[in-house]
Structures are given as structure tokens and as C-alpha cells.
């Protein structure tokens, strides 16, 4: 706690220093100019309904965080012309320079100066220059406002402005006054199309247009209509069509605010020598398809090409037969005799890229010289193979609740086109060593934790099934099959464990935004290597058992170690057995505590065999990594143990002492589980983003299980969950995280975060996290941990806080400080706002955004 307090004081001191040193916001504003501190927009005497209007002002005040222009203050810390100031200082203070040279060489002295200059430049680049009012900037903003409303149909819009001085010197606000006047309405739309082939297509598709009579003029609708028409034309055989041929003209002269629109599509322009001739557009079809899987060798005159005709495709090889014919042709979405379509070309590009066997696939179309009509195209598919074998390796450092520091190495071998069907085999080896964050391991070495493992993943670019699925999952949905198997071992982490897993899964994308994954079979076997070490690892549980022994006054040495505590593992085992069989007399509460501890120990030390099937549907509307206005949703359903339950029932497998059946000597898990995850981002003014996340999950044991395996349970807290609690620290329910690793089989998580720019690449965030975990319909009988009715939603914990992030473009490092705002584990009346202080902040370090 002392360290936390010290850190808080240091941070506060730095913050106050920045504010006090650079509190003069107009420090870098010339005396005859003014700093813009506020802008307002008034549209027809009222404020605009949408904040988009103010975003059109290119001239904005300096960004403020909690009413403080932090970026401006950082900029003001920089000295103008720092290089000349440093040189002048050297010239005017020769004695100081001489004294420095006694312990710094001339070279070191100059490097010191260079460092100061670079730091000064960093302050200028990171900070935000003062927003100084100029007529030029005001004019640009006014033109942007006029353009915004003009594009919405208010052609007679006018914009004025007024500058108002503020009470503080050299500060002013600007108000822009927008008068829209009456909008223009589209009265008629007439098409003038010179090419008969284009006109024929247009007549079939014109009803679904974005530009219609009676609607208010909107430039964006014309852009959308141009995009739509070009797409329709090119998907109906017009190979040479382009958006530049599609034009709109409007007549608004003396039309009483009516706009008469003409759609103009001229003939195709062809450059011949130094002149340009016009020809009508023609519909094109594919007369021949040539596939060159070894195009990199095509220029070698000593290689004789080998041509094979397969299913109407000409496969021209310049080397060995690397790929099966059907693999190459199956990636094509156009065939000899088909009408040209952009859609078919784009799908072929996408499918060829997904094969992960070729470097930048290329599809080129040329006119067929044998066709006298000029309507036939030859499609040449040019492919260059990637290296078949590729070795990759990498290192990483990690930090978690268990590891204070971890160093890992990963090595993988990629083998492409394994069976000449463009399969991809990825063999991965990984290992790591780490330093534990506590001394429970009993190992005196600094790096006392070890992990290693290996796995192999085979990716097939098709559905590996004994029947045809093209009717239901066509190839444009990018069907694929993944077969995986792996082994993993941990030493001095938890109870030491080895894990064997294998899976067979299928995936496809029904649309550009939707994806589906079906794990037909997922097998995982977890073998705990050192169950006798349970009470060393789960120290909180051990303290709870030891407290009962102290209450009972246990002093028999068969139970105790030299410190008078229960010895591990023999003393804890004997004490637990004697309490449960009645040898040691207890009251009901003590017996209940020991029984709960034993049930938890038995559950966490038992080996797990999980054979499950799951279905995952996901939707993501994000159009790229820089798209900050999107939503995503995933729904997952999982069922485990049903096949084994049916088999063991069928063969009459006997029940063990727990009343459960075993497979391969292990009690198998049986449960059903579902999860729903929703994320939404709104891009606000400037680069600010408001993001929310809602997650809900529940796993119900039945049949052969009365609880959920630890590795399939839910936990709460941590850098990507409720940041006011450490991972595994929150819940279940109102219990207050009494165990070392708290988990349960039901979870609710709600998060909201406002992200903004502090200065340069430094970003800030304010967040609210809410949620908890509960036990439901399992063998947990603590009412504080259970979810029994809607009243238990009152146990939802709330955390609030702030974060600082640094954006490296390709990844983000973040530091979040969370505060327990509502702690359901505290007594009623002390749950709200009792733990908000710098000394109780929970610091979370993470990579990239939490959601």
C-alpha cells in the first residue's frame, strides 16, 4: 500500500508540475493575435441536431481533457529555436561550458545538446500547436459549412460569423450563423445513353436507384447511384465500363427550387495512336481460360510448357505438376462461355488468396484475336508459388497473476501444398520459462516455472466430408477444414499438468460480414501431475482449512507441521477425512466449511476428459483496422459428453464411488454451454470513440457432471474485463473472492469506454466496467455465490477508472487504473464509493484495446 501511495503522489506531482509550469495557454500566441477557445454553429437560429455539422469546421479550439488543453500545454513546454538557444548559451556562458568539460568530453557535450534539441522537437510533435484565429482559417471553415449544406440540397445557403472576446486576454470564441433557405427537390430524372447494350441493362435495373423524383437533392445519393450503376454494368458483361463514363447534370435555373436531373452515359472512348475514337459499349464473354500455375518460369525459353485441358480450362505448366488440376479449377468462378462479371473475378481472386500457396495472384483479360465481333475475352490466370517450406520463429515476454515475468520462444514449420491440394500444415513448438509471483512453488530458482508444448494444424481449403456440400455451402463462402492435435506441459504452475487435445472443425463465411465455425469434435484431456500440492498452490483455501483447525484447538502432531499449522499434504488429508467421518467433532458451520473445501480440492485436482461439439456464429461490420464505427456479435453453443454418455450407457459401464461413469479411467464431463458477446463502436467528433461491450455466458452441468471443469468455467476481473479487480479476484456473487482462483459457471459483463486523444500518439480513456460471476445449477451450495433469482443481479460489481495508451500504429500499449466503485462483497451501506482512492487503484497493463 505504501508503494501505491508513493506512485500516486509521484503521478500527481508530475501532473501538477505540467499544469503549473505551462498554465499560460497563450504563451506561444503572438501579442497581436488571439487563441480560439470555443466554436458555435447556429443553423436557422437554433443549434444543429447533429454533431456532424461542427465536425466540418476545419478550424477548431485546442482539444481539452477535463477542461485542460493538455496537448497545448505540452506544446508550450517546447522552446522555439532550441538549437540556436543552446548554441547561444554555450557562447554566453563559457565558464559553465568549461566546468562541464571537466567531466564531459566535447563529443558528449554536443550529444547532450542534440538530446535536448530532439526532446524539444518531441514535445512539439507530441503536443498541439495553439489554435490561432486568422481570417484565412475562418474562411475555410465557412466554405466547408456551405459545401456541407449545398451537398444536402440547400444551394442558396449563406454563412456568416462573429468573433467574441473572452474575459481572459488574447482569447476569443467564434459563432458561425448558417441560413439554409429552401432546399431543392428532384423533379425529374431523364437518362441519355448512347450505347444500346448499356441502355438495355439500365432499363432493367433503374427502379432500384438512389436518385428518385420527389426526394431532396443529396450529393451522396448521386455518388451511391454512380457506384451502383457501374457495379451492375460490370456484372452484366460491360468489361470496359467505368465510373468516369457515368455522369449527372442538373438544371436548377428558374425552376422554383426544382432540380431536373439528366443521366449521361456516353460511348466508350478508345485511344488510337494520337487520336481518340468512340465506340458503343459491348457485352463481353469469356472465350478461353488459361491457368499458369508456374508463371515465374514462363519467361525461361528452355522450359517447354505442358498444356492440359481439364473441365474446359487450359492448365499450362512450366515445370513439375505441383497442384492437382481440380484444385486450380475449383478456385475459378468463371468458365469458358460465361458472361464477364466483376463478381466472378473478385471471388476468384479471393479464393486463390485463401489457398495461401501463391504470391499475389493475377488475372488478366485480353481480347480474343480470333473473335471478329470484339466481344470475346481470354482470361489468363497467372500464379507464382510460394516457398513450400517456411521456418518461422519468435520470442515474447509475458506477465500474469501467476508469472511475474515470463520469456517464451515459438518455432513453427509451415509446409504448403502437402498433398498437392493446397493444404497447409503448421507444426509449432513453443516453450517458456518464468518467475513466479509467489513462493508457493517451493523452488529457490528465479525462473521456477516451465511450459512447453507442440501442436500440428492441417488446414484444408475445402470441407473434408464424405458427401457433397456445394448446394448448401458453395465455394464462394470460403469453406475450410482444420484438423489439429497438440500436447502441452506445465511445471510449477498450478498443480503441474499435461494436456492432450485434438479437434476437427469446419468454417465458412456466408456473407462478407458473417462467419460460421463448427467444431465437430474437440477432445481435451487434462492430467494434473501433482494434486498433493493443492494447498501450497491455493494458499487462501489452505488458510481457511487451517483456521478451522485452530478453532478446534487441534494439537495432535499427526496433523501439524513444526509451525503448528496443518502439514501438507498428509496433515490436511487426515484432518479433512476425520472431520467428514465424524472422528473430530465440529459445529455445523465448521463441518460445512471443511466439506466445501474438500469438494473444491477434489474438483480442481481431478483429471478432465472433455469431448465436445460447438457451433459459433459471428458478425463483424468493421471494414478495416482503422474503421472505428462498427459492431460485432458472436453466439456460441457447446455441448460436451453426450457421445460418451451414450456409449457408456450402451455398453453398461459401471458407476464409480461418486456415482459417475468413466472413460479411459477418467470421469468425463457432461454439460451444455452458451455465450453471447456484443461490441459496438461509435466514432464521435474528431478521433474520439465511444465503445461498449456486453457479454453473457452460462454452462449447465448434467448427467455425468455436477460442476463445470475449471478450464471451461468463467472468471471475472483483469485487463480485458472488470479492471477494478485483478483476474480471478471478483466473485462469485457476494463471496468477495475468497479463493485464489475464483471461477463459476455463469457470467455477465458490461463495459463502456470513451477514448480520446491526449497529445499526439498518447491516447486517453474513461471507462465503466460492470459484471460478476455466479454458480447456478451445480454443486455449489453457498447462497452468496449462487444466482437464484433476479435479485442476485444486485451482486453486479461496478468499477470505474481511466487509462493512458500509446499508439504505435500497428499495436497499442495501455495502462488502465480501475477503482472499485460498487463492491457487492462489502456490508450493505459500505458498497458504494468506499474504495476510490489512489492507494486502492488496480493497475492493468495490456496490449491493444480491451474490446
Amino acid at each position: 500500500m505504501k508503494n501505491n501511495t508513493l506512485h500516486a503522489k509521484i503521478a500527481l506531482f508530475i501532473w501538477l508540475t505540467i499544469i503549473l509550469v505551462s498554465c499560460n495557454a497563450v504563451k506561444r500566441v503572438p501579442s497581436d493575435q488571439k487563441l480560439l477557445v470555443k466554436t458555435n454553429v447556429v443553423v436557422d437560429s437554433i443549434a444543429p441536431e447533429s454533431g456532424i455539422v461542427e465536425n466540418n469546421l476545419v478550424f477548431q479550439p485546442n482539444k481539452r481533457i477535463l477542461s485542460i488543453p493538455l496537448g497545448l500545454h505540452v506544446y508550450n513546454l517546447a522552446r522555439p529555436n532550441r538549437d540556436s538557444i543552446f548554441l547561444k548559451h554555450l557562447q554566453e556562458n563559457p565558464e559553465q561550458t568549461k566546468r562541464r568539460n571537466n567531466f564531459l568530453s566535447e563529443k558528449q557535450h554536443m550529444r547532450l545538446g542534440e538530446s535536448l534539441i530532439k526532446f524539444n522537437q518531441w514535445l512539439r510533435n507530441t503536443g498541439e500547436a495553439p489554435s490561432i484565429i486568422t481570417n484565412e482559417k475562418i474562411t475555410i471553415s465557412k466554405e466547408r459549412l456551405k459545401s456541407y449544406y449545398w451537398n444536402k440540397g440547400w444551394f442558396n445557403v449563406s454563412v456568416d460569423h462573429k468573433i467574441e472576446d473572452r474575459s481572459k486576454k488574447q482569447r476569443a470564441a467564434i459563432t458561425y450563423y448558417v441560413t439554409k433557405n429552401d432546399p431543392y427537390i428532384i423533379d425529374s430524372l431523364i437518362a441519355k445513353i448512347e450505347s444500346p447494350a448499356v441502355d438495355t441493362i439500365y432499363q432493367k435495373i433503374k427502379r432500384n436507384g438512389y436518385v428518385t423524383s420527389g426526394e431532396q437533392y443529396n450529393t451522396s445519393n448521386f455518388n451511391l447511384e454512380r457506384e451502383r450503376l457501374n457495379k451492375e454494368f460490370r456484372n452484366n458483361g460491360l468489361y470496359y465500363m467505368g465510373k468516369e463514363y457515368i455522369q449527372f447534370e442538373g438544371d436548377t435555373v428558374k425552376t422554383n427550387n426544382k432540380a431536373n436531373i439528366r443521366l449521361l452515359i456516353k460511348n466508350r472512348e478508345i485511344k488510337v495512336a494520337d487520336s481518340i475514337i468512340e465506340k458503343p459499349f459491348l457485352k463481353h464473354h469469356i472465350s478461353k481460360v488459361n491457368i499458369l500455375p508456374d508463371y515465374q518460369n514462363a519467361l525461361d525459353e528452355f522450359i517447354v510448357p505442358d498444356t492440359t485441358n481439364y473441365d474446359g480450362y487450359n492448365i499450362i505448366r512450366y515445370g513439375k505438376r505441383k497442384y492437382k488440376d481440380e484444385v486450380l479449377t475449383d478456385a475459378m468462378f468463371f468458365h469458358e462461355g460465361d458472361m464477364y462479371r466483376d463478381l466472378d473475378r473478385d471471388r476468384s481472386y479471393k479464393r486463390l488468396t485463401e489457398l495461401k500457396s501463391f504470391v499475389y495472384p493475377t488475372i488478366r483479360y485480353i481480347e480474343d484475336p480470333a473473335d471478329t465481333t470484339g466481344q470475346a475475352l481470354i482470361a489468363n490466370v497467372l500464379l507464382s508459388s510460394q516457398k513450400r517450406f517456411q521456418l518461422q520463429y519468435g520470442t515474447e515476454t509475458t506477465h500474469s497473476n501467476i508469472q511475474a515475468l515470463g520469456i517464451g520462444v515459438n518455432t513453427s514449420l509451415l509446409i504448403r501444398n502437402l498433398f498437392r491440394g493446397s493444404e497447409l500444415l503448421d507444426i509449432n513448438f513453443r516453450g517458456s520459462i518464468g518467475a513466479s509471483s509467489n513462493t508457493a512453488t517451493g523452488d529457490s530458482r528465479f525462473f521456477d516455472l516451465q511450459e512447453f508444448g507442440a501442436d500440428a494444424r492441417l488446414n484444408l481449403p475445402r470441407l473434408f466430408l464424405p458427401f457433397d456440400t456445394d448446394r448448401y455451402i458453395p465455394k464462394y463462402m470460403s469453406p475450410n477444414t482444420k484438423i489439429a492435435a497438440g500436447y502441452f506441459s506445465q511445471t510449477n504452475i498450478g498443480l503441474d499438468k499435461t494436456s492432450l487435445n485434438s479437434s476437427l472443425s469446419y468454417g465458412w463465411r456466408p456473407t462478407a460480414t458473417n462467419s460460421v465455425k463448427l467444431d465437430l469434435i474437440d477432445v481435451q484431456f487434462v492430467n494434473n501431475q501433482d494434486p498433493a500440492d493443492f494447498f501450497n498452490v491455493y494458499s487462501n483455501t489452505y488458510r481457511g482449512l487451517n483456521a478451522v483447525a485452530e478453532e478446534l484447538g487441534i494439537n495432535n502432531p499427526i496433523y501439524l507441521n513444526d509451525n503448528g499449522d496443518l502439514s501438507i499434504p498428509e496433515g490436511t488429508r487426515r484432518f479433512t477425512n476425520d472431520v467428514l467421518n465424524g472422528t473430530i467433532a465440529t459445529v455445523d458451520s465448521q463441518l460445512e466449511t471443511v466439506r466445501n473445501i474438500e469438494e473444491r480440492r477434489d474438483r480442481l485436482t481431478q483429471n478432465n476428459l472433455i469431448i465436445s461439439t460447438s457451433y459459433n456464429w459471428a458478425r463483424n461490420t468493421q471494414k478495416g483496422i482503422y474503421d472505428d464505427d462498427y459492431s460485432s456479435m458472436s453466439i456460441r453453443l457447446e455441448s460436451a459428453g453426450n457421445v460418451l454418455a451414450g456409449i457408456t450407457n450402451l455398453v453398461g459401464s459401471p458407476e464409480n464411488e461418486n456415482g459417475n461413469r468413466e472413460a479411459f479411467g477418467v470421469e468425463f464431463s457432461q454439460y451444455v454451454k452458451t455465450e453471447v458477446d456484443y461490441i459496438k463502436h461509435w466514432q464521435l467528433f474528431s478521433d474520439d470513440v465511444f465503445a461498449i461491450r456486453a457479454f453473457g455466458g452460462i454452462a449447465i452441468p448434467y448427467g455425468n457432471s455436477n460442476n463445470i471443469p475449471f478450464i471451461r468455467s468463467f472468471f471475472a476481473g483483469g485487463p480485458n474485463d472488470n479492471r477494478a479487480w485483478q483476474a480471478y479476484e471478483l466473485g462469485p456473487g457476494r463471496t468477495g473472492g475468497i479463493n485464489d482462483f475464483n471461477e463459476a459457471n455463469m457470467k455477465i459483463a458490461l463495459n463502456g469506454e470513451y477514448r480520446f486523444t491526449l497529445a499526439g500518439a498518447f491516447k486517453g480513456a474513461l471507462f465503466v466496467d460492470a459484471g460478476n460471476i455466479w454458480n447456478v445449477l451445480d454443486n455449489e451450495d453457498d447462497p452468496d455465490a449462487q444466482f437464484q433469482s433476479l435479485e442476485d443481479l444486485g451482486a453486479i460489481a461496478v468499477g470505474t477508472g481511466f487509462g493512458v495508451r500509446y499508439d504505435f500504429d500497428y499495436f497499442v500499449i495501455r495502462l488502465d487504473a480501475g477503482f472499485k466503485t460498487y463492491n457487492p462483497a462489502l456490508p450493505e451501506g459500505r458498497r458504494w464509493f468506499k474504495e476510490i482512492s489512489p492507494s486502492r487503484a488496480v493497475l492493468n497493463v495490456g496490449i491493444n484495446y480491451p474490446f
Side-chain angles (χ1 to χ4, degrees):
M1 183 176 292
K2 289 183 178 179
N3 288 334
N4 290 336
T5 303
L6 178 61
H7 293 159
K9 289 179 178 179
I10 292 173
L12 182 61
F13 175 79
I14 294 173
W15 176 265
L16 291 176
T17 299
I18 293 175
I19 299 304
L20 292 174
V21 170
S22 56
C23 61
N24 184 9
V26 296
K27 185 177 182 180
R28 306 298 180 200
V29 179
S31 58
D32 60 339
Q33 294 181 310
K34 296 176 181 178
L35 179 71
L36 178 66
V37 295
K38 186 174 179 58
T39 57
N40 297 296
V41 178
V42 177
V43 181
D44 292 338
S45 302
I46 60 174
E49 295 181 359
S50 173
I52 298 176
V53 176
E54 294 189 356
N55 287 343
N56 283 276
L57 299 175
V58 294
F59 184 36
Q60 297 276 9
N62 292 101
K63 193 173 184 66
R64 291 176 174 267
I65 307 299
L66 301 177
S67 300
I68 300 172
L70 183 60
L72 175 60
H73 288 320
V74 172
Y75 182 90
N76 286 342
L77 286 173
R79 303 280 296 275
N81 305 316
R82 180 70 185 182
D83 48 353
S84 59
I85 292 174
F86 179 70
L87 293 175
K88 183 179 179 182
H89 174 78
L90 294 180
Q91 295 170 356
E92 294 180 352
N93 299 274
E95 292 300 324
Q96 289 186 16
T97 302
K98 186 177 180 179
R99 285 196 298 272
R100 286 198 199 97
N101 287 336
N102 291 331
F103 57 89
L104 289 177
S105 67
E106 183 178 353
K107 187 176 182 180
Q108 290 174 326
H109 202 165
M110 294 307 296
R111 284 185 176 177
L112 173 61
E114 291 175 0
S115 299
L116 292 174
I117 293 170
K118 288 180 179 179
F119 178 71
N120 191 74
Q121 187 60 42
W122 179 84
L123 288 174
R124 292 175 65 89
N125 294 338
T126 302
E128 184 182 10
S131 187
I132 299 174
I133 297 175
T134 65
N135 290 331
E136 181 182 0
K137 294 177 182 177
I138 294 174
T139 300
I140 293 174
S141 288
K142 290 169 67 175
E143 291 299 320
R144 284 288 299 272
L145 283 173
K146 289 178 67 175
S147 177
Y148 173 80
Y149 283 102
W150 192 97
N151 286 321
K152 296 289 185 181
W154 286 281
F155 296 160
N156 299 320
V157 62
S158 63
V159 180
D160 201 356
H161 77 280
K162 181 179 180 181
I163 301 176
E164 300 172 344
D165 290 335
R166 289 302 174 97
S167 56
K168 290 186 178 181
K169 70 173 184 176
Q170 289 187 262
R171 292 167 174 83
I174 302 177
T175 300
Y176 296 91
Y177 298 93
V178 178
T179 303
K180 294 186 297 184
N181 296 308
D182 294 332
Y184 276 72
I185 307 298
I186 297 175
D187 187 45
S188 62
L189 174 61
I190 299 174
K192 183 180 179 181
I193 303 174
E194 296 181 358
S195 300
V198 179
D199 187 59
T200 300
I201 298 172
Y202 176 75
Q203 297 303 325
K204 295 178 181 178
I205 64 173
K206 65 180 182 180
R207 294 183 180 179
N208 300 320
Y210 291 96
V211 179
T212 57
S213 299
E215 295 288 336
Q216 184 172 327
Y217 178 95
N218 193 322
T219 299
S220 63
N221 287 340
F222 285 86
N223 294 332
L224 290 171
E225 180 67 0
R226 185 178 289 108
E227 293 277 357
R228 184 188 77 89
L229 291 176
N230 185 63
K231 182 178 179 180
E232 291 283 0
F233 290 148
R234 291 188 61 85
N235 281 325
N236 279 276
L238 302 184
Y239 173 70
Y240 290 106
M241 176 57 71
K243 288 186 290 185
E244 66 273 13
Y245 289 105
I246 304 171
Q247 299 177 359
F248 292 95
E249 288 185 354
D251 179 15
T252 59
V253 178
K254 297 181 180 180
T255 58
N256 193 25
N257 288 80
K258 303 290 185 181
N260 298 311
I261 307 300
R262 296 176 66 195
L263 168 64
L264 304 178
I265 304 179
K266 296 183 178 181
N267 284 331
R268 175 190 167 200
E269 295 181 349
I270 305 173
K271 186 175 182 180
V272 179
D274 293 332
S275 61
I276 295 177
I277 63 174
E278 292 187 358
K279 284 187 176 181
F281 283 97
L282 300 175
K283 293 183 66 172
H284 289 80
H285 64 273
I286 309 297
S287 62
K288 189 185 299 183
V289 181
N290 300 323
I291 304 175
L292 288 74
D294 305 288
Y295 181 66
Q296 71 271 21
N297 300 328
L299 300 179
D300 191 335
E301 59 184 14
F302 297 104
I303 299 178
V304 179
D306 175 44
T307 302
T308 303
N309 187 279
Y310 180 84
D311 197 24
Y313 296 91
N314 298 319
I315 303 176
I316 306 172
R317 292 183 170 88
Y318 289 85
K320 295 181 180 180
R321 190 184 183 91
K322 297 180 181 178
Y323 306 93
K324 296 177 182 178
D325 294 340
E326 60 268 25
V327 173
L328 299 173
T329 59
D330 188 62
M332 299 295 102
F333 285 82
F334 48 82
H335 195 275
E336 180 182 321
D338 289 348
M339 179 181 66
Y340 171 82
R341 300 198 309 170
D342 270 3
L343 178 64
D344 297 334
R345 181 203 59 186
D346 294 343
R347 285 177 172 176
S348 299
Y349 267 124
K350 180 173 178 287
R351 191 60 175 158
L352 287 168
T353 302
E354 290 169 347
L355 295 180
K356 299 180 181 179
S357 293
F358 306 108
V359 180
Y360 304 121
T362 302
I363 303 175
R364 294 177 183 170
Y365 296 90
I366 61 173
E367 292 187 7
D368 190 342
D371 177 56
T372 58
T373 66
Q375 295 179 274
L377 297 173
I378 297 176
N380 294 313
V381 183
L382 312 178
L383 307 174
S384 297
S385 298
Q386 295 193 55
K387 292 181 179 180
R388 189 178 188 193
F389 299 97
Q390 183 178 353
L391 185 64
Q392 299 175 331
Y393 62 91
T395 59
E396 63 178 1
T397 58
T398 58
H399 168 77
S400 68
N401 285 358
I402 299 174
Q403 290 188 104
L405 174 66
I407 302 174
V409 178
N410 294 291
T411 303
S412 66
L413 174 64
L414 292 177
I415 305 177
R416 295 184 175 89
N417 197 33
L418 185 64
F419 305 116
R420 296 194 303 115
S422 201
E423 303 86 1
L424 179 65
L425 177 63
D426 183 2
I427 303 173
N428 186 276
F429 301 92
R430 61 188 182 275
S432 68
I433 57 175
S436 62
S437 56
N438 57 61
T439 59
T441 65
D443 196 323
S444 60
R445 296 172 298 170
F446 179 75
F447 288 109
D448 54 343
L449 310 178
Q450 299 88 39
E451 297 178 284
F452 68 89
D455 60 68
R457 298 185 293 272
L458 179 63
N459 189 15
L460 310 176
R462 54 194 171 275
L463 296 184
F464 184 66
L465 289 168
F467 51 86
D468 187 14
T469 60
D470 286 349
R471 181 178 177 183
Y472 309 101
I473 306 175
K475 62 183 182 180
Y476 73 81
M477 292 185 181
S478 305
N480 64 85
T481 302
K482 292 183 180 179
I483 303 171
Y487 169 83
F488 189 65
S489 174
Q490 293 179 334
T491 305
N492 282 353
I493 299 178
L495 303 176
D496 296 351
K497 65 178 62 176
T498 58
S499 175
L500 294 170
N501 58 79
S502 62
S503 63
L504 171 62
S505 61
Y506 303 99
W508 62 93
R509 299 187 66 88
T511 68
T513 58
N514 296 359
S515 63
V516 174
K517 183 183 179 185
L518 172 64
D519 291 326
L520 186 63
I521 182 169
D522 187 348
V523 180
Q524 186 171 14
F525 172 67
V526 179
N527 181 23
N528 289 304
Q529 299 288 305
D530 195 7
D533 202 34
F534 175 81
F535 286 109
N536 280 324
V537 175
Y538 296 91
S539 55
N540 284 347
T541 304
Y542 171 68
R543 284 192 287 269
L545 186 66
N546 209 54
V548 175
E550 290 178 355
E551 291 176 5
L552 294 172
I554 299 298
N555 55 18
N556 192 326
I558 64 172
Y559 301 113
L560 307 178
N561 58 22
D562 294 340
N563 297 324
D565 297 325
L566 294 174
S567 61
I568 300 174
E570 189 61 29
T572 54
R573 182 186 62 79
R574 284 186 176 180
F575 177 72
T576 299
N577 290 339
D578 289 348
V579 168
L580 295 180
N581 63 28
T583 302
I584 298 177
T586 61
V587 297
D588 290 344
S589 61
Q590 295 168 335
L591 178 62
E592 185 68 20
T593 298
V594 174
R595 181 184 292 113
N596 288 339
I597 290 175
E598 177 60 16
E599 287 179 354
R600 177 172 172 79
R601 187 203 64 80
D602 182 64
R603 173 171 171 249
L604 296 181
T605 58
Q606 69 181 357
N607 297 329
N608 296 124
L609 176 61
I610 305 171
I611 300 180
S612 64
T613 298
S614 64
Y615 175 87
N616 189 87
W617 175 89
R619 175 179 174 81
N620 191 333
T621 63
Q622 189 175 22
K623 297 178 181 179
I625 59 174
Y626 297 108
D627 181 8
D628 285 325
D629 202 316
Y630 70 94
S631 65
S632 69
M633 182 176 183
S634 66
I635 300 174
R636 187 172 187 271
L637 301 173
E638 178 184 359
S639 177
N642 293 331
V643 173
L644 285 179
I647 294 174
T648 53
N649 282 332
L650 185 64
V651 300
S653 176
E655 296 181 347
N656 59 19
E657 64 274 12
N658 297 324
N660 297 323
R661 289 187 167 90
E662 298 181 349
F664 311 106
V666 180
E667 288 186 15
F668 58 88
S669 300
Q670 191 172 7
Y671 62 87
V672 61
K673 182 180 182 181
T674 183
E675 299 175 3
V676 179
D677 194 4
Y678 177 77
I679 295 173
K680 173 65 178 175
H681 287 203
W682 289 273
Q683 184 163 9
L684 307 177
F685 45 87
S686 187
D687 294 327
D688 294 6
V689 174
F690 181 66
I692 63 170
R693 179 188 182 218
F695 175 88
I698 187 170
I700 304 299
Y702 64 95
N704 209 57
S705 299
N706 57 11
N707 56 61
I708 302 299
F710 183 87
I711 56 176
R712 291 291 200 269
S713 297
F714 300 107
F715 72 92
N720 298 320
D721 195 73
N722 196 321
R723 285 161 280 187
W725 280 261
Q726 298 285 359
Y728 291 99
E729 186 185 34
L730 176 58
R734 303 184 188 277
T735 59
I738 58 176
N739 299 311
D740 300 87
F741 299 94
N742 298 279
E743 40 75 38
N745 63 328
M746 175 181 168
K747 179 176 180 177
I748 295 175
L750 305 169
N751 310 86
E753 183 170 276
Y754 176 55
R755 301 165 185 166
F756 49 87
T757 299
L758 289 173
F762 284 99
K763 312 293 181 180
L766 302 173
F767 60 82
V768 178
D769 299 326
N772 208 331
I773 55 174
W774 294 266
N775 289 93
V776 58
L777 301 177
D778 63 359
N779 62 345
E780 176 61 58
D781 52 13
D782 183 353
D784 285 338
Q786 294 177 332
F787 189 93
Q788 298 175 321
S789 67
L790 293 179
E791 293 182 358
D792 292 310
L793 292 176
I796 289 180
V798 179
T800 56
F802 59 88
V804 178
R805 293 89 189 267
Y806 191 86
D807 190 347
F808 288 92
D809 286 336
Y810 47 92
F811 73 96
V812 174
I813 291 180
R814 60 185 169 92
L815 174 64
D816 293 332
F819 300 89
K820 296 178 177 64
T821 306
Y822 176 81
N823 189 349
L826 295 178
E828 194 167 356
R830 292 185 48 81
R831 295 171 180 170
W832 282 103
F833 308 113
K834 297 300 181 181
E835 298 176 273
I836 297 182
S837 67
S839 63
R840 295 192 176 188
V842 177
L843 299 180
N844 298 272
V845 178
I847 303 295
N848 293 327
Y849 292 105
F851 53 89

